């Protein structure tokens, strides 16, 4: 019954990790896996975002809907999101903010009493759960000007009072739940320089070739005046150097191939989850999705019966 | 006003099966799998994994319409296998690949945080 396994063993090499940024290499797999991971990081890794707003008082210049929309877009720390419930799957409650499994309650109460305009920011949001708070973008340095994301500005006498409920969701539902700022991958380029042909070029011609690339991929070695590859990853697959070589009457002078099984990922998050955690969550979500598309037992059973029936009919 | 709920894109409605299977009536060892509420993410990885399988003669998927949230996956195999067997094998292999990937990533991350 069990067939041969065609499993692959991909390799990872991490280049750089910061809180909301990371760069890594993924090798020995194909573009379908790389693209699935990218798509999931953007649209299917859950986070928490404000989803329901009850406005008590709003005498600001912005209307209720406008403020609600702005509140929804504020990134909230979402380490808990993977283990939380979607409020539509939560039987314990109706997603009213009282339920610890599926929602978090926020309050915002501000009134401007001075002649100076008052900035209402994400830091004024009071959370009922200390693990789910607006993302702090201050850089750790003592920067007094960094006060969070501005929601609205109030003048003397204006007031904003509201209750907001944050829920778990995914980017496919609404972009406010996407943890990704950018997720990209590129194929690793392989660049060959035909040294024999290169020998036949004058120094000026070599310089022209180097300059034909819009990004700094090639350079001339100051010592032996040879064309060298300084940064293969700067290549944008623009074909400019190849066209230049052709125009110089030297096709094949430079050859560039994309390695089909090697990818360089760049992941940037909104700060809702750490970049490294985003990748791990994406793998986990993809595993869950694969598990969900396994054939159910009754499908297999139905086919067994139907298959027999079919065999009867074929056999006469 | 009459816009469908956004969650309809990814929540399988009640009474609908996530994966259904239909044999081809004319071709031996060929079948179409209908996977509800999935898209290119699943379709493409399963298809590519099936292409690695020597017993699979044909594997392809399509998203019939952007507002019909399902994919159709068509598989034909040699008589040594069956579409169902190939499908299960592909999913098991992908699952193991992701397990491996997760361990690799965690290992490399631990190495990176230790070194820097």
């Amino acid at each position: 019954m069990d067939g041969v396994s065609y499993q692959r063993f991909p390799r990872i090499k991490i280049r750089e990790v910061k809180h909301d940024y990371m760069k890594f290499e993924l090798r020995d797999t194909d573009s379908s896996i790389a693209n699935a991971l990218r798509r999931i990081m953007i649209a299917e890794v859950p986070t928490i975002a404000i989803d329901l707003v009850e406005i008590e008082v709003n005498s600001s210049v912005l209307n209720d809907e406008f403020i609600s929309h702005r509140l929804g877009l504020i990134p909230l720390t979402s380490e808990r999101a993977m283990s939380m419930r979607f409020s539509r799957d939560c039987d314990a409650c109706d997603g009213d903010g009282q339920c610890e499994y599926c929602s978090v309650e926020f309050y915002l109460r501000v009134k401007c009493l001075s002649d100076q305009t008052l900035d209402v920011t994400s830091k004024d949001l009071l959370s009922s759960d200390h693990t789910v708070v607006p993302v702090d973008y201050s850089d750790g340095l003592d920067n007094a000007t960094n006060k969070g994301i501005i929601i609205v500005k109030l003048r003397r006498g204006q007031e904003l009072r509201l209750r907001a409920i944050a829920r778990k969701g995914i980017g496919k539902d609404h972009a406010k739940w996407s943890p990704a700022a950018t997720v990209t991958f590129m194929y690793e380029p392989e660049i060959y320089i035909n040294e024999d042909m290169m020998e036949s070029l004058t120094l000026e011609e070599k310089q022209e070739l180097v300059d034909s690339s819009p990004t700094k991929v090639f350079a001339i070695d100051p010592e032996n005046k040879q064309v060298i590859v300084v940064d293969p990853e700067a290549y944008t697959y623009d074909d400019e150097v190849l066209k230049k070589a052709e125009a110089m009457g030297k096709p094949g002078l430079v050859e560039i191939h994309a390695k089909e099984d090697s990818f360089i990922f760049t992941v940037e998050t909104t700060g809702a989850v750490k970049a490294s955690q985003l990748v791990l969550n994406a793998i986990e979500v993809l595993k869950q999705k694969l598990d969900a598309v396994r054939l159910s037992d009754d499908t297999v059973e139905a086919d067994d019966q139907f298959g027999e029936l079919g065999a009867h009919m074929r056999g006469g | 006003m009459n816009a469908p709920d956004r969650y309809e894109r990814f929540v399988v409605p009640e009474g609908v099966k996530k994966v259904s299977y239909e044999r081809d009536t004319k071709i031996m060892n060929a079948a179409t799998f209908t996977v509800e509420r999935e898209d290119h993410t699943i379709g493409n990885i399963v298809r590519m994994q099936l292409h690695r399988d020597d017993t699979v003669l044909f594997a392809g998927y399509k998203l019939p319409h952007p507002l019909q949230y399902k994919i159709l996956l068509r598989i034909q195999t040699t008589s040594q296998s069956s579409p169902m067997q190939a499908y299960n094998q592909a999913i098991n292999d992908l699952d193991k690949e992701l397990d491996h990937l997760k361990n690799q990533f965690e290992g490399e991350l631990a190495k990176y945080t230790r070194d820097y």
Side-chain angles (χ1 to χ4, degrees):
Chain A
M1 183 66 203
D2 245 4
V4 210
S5 178
Y6 296 94
Q7 194 203 337
R8 279 175 300 220
F9 296 94
R11 284 179 298 132
I12 296 260
K13 187 166 178 276
I14 292 174
R15 285 198 186 161
E16 200 185 343
V17 185
K18 284 186 191 142
H19 182 78
D20 54 4
Y21 174 88
M22 87 174 291
K23 203 163 184 165
F24 65 95
E25 297 162 15
L26 173 67
R27 293 177 202 281
D28 298 342
T29 188
D30 71 356
S31 59
S32 68
I33 295 287
N35 197 40
L37 286 176
R38 183 191 65 85
R39 285 173 65 98
I40 286 178
M41 282 188 242
I42 292 169
E44 299 194 57
V45 171
T47 63
I48 301 160
I50 290 175
D51 195 33
L52 194 81
V53 181
E54 281 171 13
I55 292 180
E56 207 178 307
V57 179
N58 174 18
S59 53
S60 76
V61 291
L62 299 183
N63 61 46
D64 297 0
E65 292 86 343
F66 202 122
I67 289 171
S68 307
H69 181 239
R70 289 182 68 77
L71 287 170
L73 295 174
I74 295 169
L76 306 175
T77 50
S78 306
E79 277 78 26
R80 255 186 71 201
M82 283 298 273
S83 57
M84 256 172 93
R85 284 187 206 155
F86 286 108
S87 60
R88 60 168 178 276
D89 296 334
C90 189
D91 344 284
C93 72
D94 41 0
D96 54 359
Q98 314 296 331
C99 170
E100 53 173 329
Y101 301 110
C102 72
S103 51
V104 180
E105 209 174 12
F106 285 87
Y107 281 99
L108 184 68
R109 295 188 196 93
V110 256
K111 186 169 187 178
C112 180
L113 297 167
S114 70
D115 272 332
Q116 222 176 10
T117 51
L118 177 70
D119 293 350
V120 181
T121 71
S122 57
K123 293 202 171 168
D124 294 315
L125 278 168
L126 301 174
S127 172
S128 64
D129 180 343
H130 67 95
T131 61
V132 181
V133 291
V135 173
D136 184 9
Y137 290 104
S138 58
D139 46 13
L141 308 166
D142 187 36
N143 196 346
T145 53
N146 197 334
K147 296 206 296 182
I149 301 165
I150 293 181
I151 298 162
V152 65
K153 290 183 179 179
L154 302 180
R155 63 168 291 175
R156 185 193 264 281
Q158 292 179 339
E159 191 182 3
L160 184 61
R161 242 187 2 240
L162 57 86
R163 186 176 89 107
I165 294 166
R167 294 181 179 137
K168 174 182 174 176
I170 59 171
K172 230 180 188 184
D173 191 340
H174 190 290
K176 70 183 174 188
W177 276 299
S178 177
T182 51
V183 183
T184 60
F185 69 84
M186 72 177 283
Y187 289 102
E188 187 178 323
E190 249 180 333
I191 305 178
Y192 297 105
I193 296 174
N194 189 327
E195 299 293 351
D196 292 345
M197 255 191 221
M198 201 58 90
E199 282 303 299
S200 64
L201 261 58
T202 64
L203 189 59
E204 287 78 64
E205 283 177 309
K206 284 180 185 172
Q207 190 59 52
E208 258 181 65
L209 187 83
V210 167
D211 294 339
S212 70
S213 175
T215 50
K216 205 172 156 32
V217 179
F218 303 95
I220 291 179
D221 194 322
E223 269 164 35
N224 55 17
K225 305 293 173 208
Q226 285 197 322
V227 176
I228 50 166
V229 179
V230 284
D231 185 8
E233 279 164 36
Y235 186 59
T236 56
Y237 293 93
D238 45 58
D239 280 1
E240 291 297 331
V241 251
L242 306 182
K243 281 182 204 150
K244 185 68 187 173
E246 197 118 347
M248 290 163 94
K250 308 253 185 223
L253 178 65
V254 178
E255 275 186 55
I256 305 176
H257 301 286
K259 284 169 106 179
E260 298 274 298
D261 64 346
S262 191
F263 312 93
I264 300 152
F265 267 85
T266 314
V267 178
E268 257 182 272
T269 74
T270 59
V273 285
K274 283 195 291 184
S276 54
Q277 193 59 46
L278 177 57
V279 181
L280 285 168
N281 288 358
I283 297 172
E284 193 52 45
V285 170
L286 186 52
K287 273 168 62 69
Q288 286 166 9
K289 282 171 79 77
L290 276 171
D291 236 13
V293 300
R294 281 179 198 280
L295 285 165
S296 56
D297 290 336
D298 55 322
T299 316
V300 180
E301 229 168 77
D303 179 63
D304 284 345
Q305 286 171 9
F306 196 65
E308 253 172 66
L309 189 71
H312 267 293
M313 278 155 68
R314 278 194 296 275
Chain B
M1 290 292 265
N2 59 357
D5 289 319
R6 286 193 309 247
Y7 63 77
E8 282 194 23
R9 288 180 62 188
F10 47 85
V11 178
V12 183
E14 246 175 272
V16 176
K17 265 166 107 177
K18 181 82 181 172
V19 189
S20 51
Y21 167 89
E22 198 183 348
R23 278 184 191 229
D24 194 293
T25 50
K26 292 189 177 130
I27 305 166
M28 280 286 282
N29 289 314
T32 305
F33 295 80
T34 308
V35 188
E36 282 291 337
R37 313 289 125 140
E38 290 297 344
D39 57 17
H40 301 285
T41 306
I42 287 294
N44 198 32
I45 53 168
V46 176
R47 175 184 71 115
M48 292 312 282
Q49 188 64 37
L50 284 162
H51 285 172
R52 294 172 58 81
D53 191 333
D54 295 329
T55 62
V56 172
L57 297 175
F58 177 87
Y61 82 97
K62 70 174 173 185
L63 189 83
H65 190 278
L67 294 177
Q68 282 177 352
Y69 308 115
K70 63 177 180 191
I71 53 166
L72 304 179
L73 181 72
R74 205 172 142 71
I75 306 172
Q76 189 190 354
T77 66
T78 62
S79 52
Q80 268 78 55
S81 185
S82 72
M84 221 177 238
Q85 199 184 321
Y87 180 83
N88 287 333
Q89 183 68 42
I91 287 175
N92 288 336
D93 287 344
L94 283 169
D95 197 43
K96 280 188 278 176
E97 176 172 344
L98 289 172
D99 276 332
H100 177 79
L101 193 63
K102 193 175 180 186
N103 290 333
Q104 277 280 306
F105 194 89
E106 278 170 345
E108 288 294 312
L109 195 65
K111 229 191 281 174
Y112 183 91
T113 43
R114 200 179 55 226
D115 292 353
Y116 293 88

